[in-house]
Amino acid sequence: MAPSTYSKFIQFLTDELAVSMSSIDFAVRHRENSCDPLPMILWQYGLISLEQLDRIFDWLETA
């Protein structure tokens, strides 16, 4: 993901889905030890709902 798209993605998570920066930071740290995409890590650890995960994938398709 390009840096500008990544920034927009993080903004989407915080502004539209109300995901806290601490949750995002947690997922990013765990992503370093895993090849799973960030949205899946957020969902696996219960930091986002299945509905939010669907919205993330919809956003990623149009980004």
Side-chain angles (χ1 to χ4, degrees):
M1 183 179 303
S4 63
T5 304
Y6 183 77
S7 296
K8 291 176 185 176
F9 177 59
I10 298 302
Q11 185 174 0
F12 168 76
L13 290 176
T14 58
D15 295 349
E16 298 293 324
L17 300 182
V19 178
S20 70
M21 281 306 298
S22 62
S23 294
I24 295 168
D25 291 340
F26 174 85
V28 168
R29 283 193 309 274
H30 280 78
R31 186 174 185 217
E32 293 172 356
N33 299 325
S34 171
C35 60
D36 291 336
L38 187 61
M40 291 304 297
I41 294 172
L42 288 166
W43 178 71
Q44 287 172 344
Y45 283 95
L47 303 172
I48 60 171
S49 67
L50 191 56
E51 179 183 311
Q52 288 172 308
L53 183 62
D54 285 338
R55 287 185 62 195
I56 289 170
F57 286 135
D58 290 342
W59 186 91
L60 289 171
E61 283 181 8
T62 61

